[in-house]
Amino acid sequence: MSAHNRGTELDLSWISKIQVNHPAVLRRAEQIQARRTVKKEWQAAWLLKAVTFIDLTTLSGDDTSSNIQRLCYKAKYPIREDLLKALNMYDKGITTAAVCVYPARVCDAVKALKAAGCNIPVASVATGFPAGQTHLKTRLEEIRLAVEDGATEIDVVINRSLVLTGQWEALYDEIRQFRKACGEAHLKTILATGELGSLTNVYKASMIAMMAGSDFIKTSTGKETVNATFPVAIVMLRAIRDFFWKTGNKIGFKPAGGIRSAKDSLAWLSLVKEELGNEWLKPELFRIGASTLLSDIERQIYHHVTGRYAAYHDLPMS
């Protein structure tokens, strides 16, 4: 992953001037959703690229060491060997971008990936995921423990009440502490945009998170009623662009929650390409948080190679 974002001083004058043109954002979102997708070999190529952006995720109450092991194996071998050979892509080192688990499962993931002989990063959610409503001391300790266990990326959740009540300085200070607790691990800040009340709040929270030192900003936990949507993404991507223009720092973007189909993934890649450019289309600056998306991508690639659709049991998680 790219170098850390060291953050900037808090600029409340910038935050106070922000207003989002809601109708314009919705029009732009409709354009993205109405667009025809690429076909045939171009689609296969873009889908293989999408695989390399996936943070392959399991965040279930019934996670065990064995299903973490299977997840890690799938992260290393995301597409069936015979399909990659048919596309002449078998030796290209295609893996998912990371494996994302709960803090208590970081050790299992690190062990499984080491046994598989690969260096895919382990990402851990933290800070009272998904609500972010535990004591700050507990949230910081959770980050430190996950890093000690081997997580190299930490997906933190913000306290949404700080956004809803306009406590921007408190939000900045909290994320700065998250940044410090991460040490050398990369900080990915989940805004839980479905609970922030307005697109203007989404932009402001995005900007505060970047000023405070976030390496990525992420739409959702996947546990909210409303998760990754195109209007929210457009606002976040333009905040990333504005921050880059002002500071020269490139911040990553991660949509998560509800991205389940191969067609959806192509729309997200297209949006990032158009809003930020090809420079952001690499795992260092773009991720997709997903648990079931990979299955549909593999199914579409199977169809491209064989001319027929596989049943899901033909393409298991491992």
Side-chain angles (χ1 to χ4, degrees), residues 135-318:
H135 289 294
L136 179 59
K137 183 178 178 180
T138 305
R139 285 181 279 153
L140 293 170
E141 185 65 11
E142 194 172 35
I143 293 173
R144 286 189 280 265
L145 290 171
V147 172
E148 279 179 22
D149 286 346
T152 55
E153 301 177 9
I154 303 294
D155 289 33
V156 303
V157 290
I158 64 168
N159 180 346
R160 278 72 111 185
S161 70
L162 298 178
V163 176
L164 295 171
T165 55
Q167 297 182 67
W168 304 115
E169 193 167 349
L171 179 63
Y172 175 87
D173 290 342
E174 195 169 270
I175 298 172
R176 290 298 286 177
Q177 290 183 68
F178 295 163
R179 165 79 276 163
K180 185 177 179 181
C182 281
E184 289 305 306
H186 279 79
L187 173 62
K188 291 144 81 182
T189 300
I190 307 170
L191 303 181
T193 54
E195 297 178 349
L196 296 188
S198 70
L199 291 179
T200 297
N201 275 348
V202 169
Y203 187 105
K204 289 181 177 181
S206 299
M207 198 57 68
I208 292 290
M210 292 185 286
M211 289 177 181
S214 302
D215 298 302
F216 266 73
I217 52 174
K218 177 178 170 183
T219 61
S220 323
T221 66
K223 308 290 187 182
E224 293 94 56
T225 306
V226 178
N227 293 293
T229 66
F230 290 117
V232 155
I234 290 162
V235 171
M236 292 174 69
L237 291 170
R238 291 182 181 178
I240 288 172
R241 187 171 64 194
D242 291 347
F243 189 76
F244 172 64
W245 284 347
K246 183 160 184 174
T247 68
N249 294 334
K250 293 178 181 174
I251 307 302
F253 173 66
K254 179 178 173 180
I259 305 173
R260 298 186 178 92
S261 74
K263 184 179 178 182
D264 287 344
S265 71
L266 294 177
W268 284 100
L269 265 67
S270 175
L271 178 61
V272 171
K273 177 181 170 70
E274 290 179 16
E275 291 290 333
L276 294 176
N278 287 329
E279 291 176 70
W280 262 264
L281 281 182
K282 54 187 180 181
E284 292 82 7
L285 290 169
F286 179 51
R287 299 288 181 84
I288 301 172
S291 55
T292 59
L293 171 63
L294 181 56
S295 296
D296 194 56
I297 289 178
E298 191 174 21
R299 198 161 171 257
Q300 296 300 327
I301 290 172
Y302 182 99
H303 180 267
H304 174 73
V305 170
T306 67
R308 59 188 176 84
Y309 282 109
Y312 277 103
H313 62 259
D314 290 329
L315 301 168
M317 263 313 268
S318 61

Side-chain angles (χ1 to χ4, degrees), residues 37-80:
T37 188
V38 290
K39 299 294 184 183
K40 298 184 179 179
E41 62 265 32
W42 293 278
Q43 184 184 73
W46 276 99
L47 288 177
L48 288 177
K49 193 171 183 69
V51 168
T52 68
F53 299 135
I54 294 175
D55 281 1
L56 194 59
T57 303
T58 182
L59 296 169
S60 300
D62 58 357
D63 283 338
T64 63
S65 58
S66 60
N67 81 291
I68 298 296
Q69 188 175 6
R70 289 195 298 273
L71 189 83
C72 291
Y73 186 87
K74 189 64 177 176
K76 184 179 181 182
Y77 302 107
I79 305 295
R80 238 169 56 175

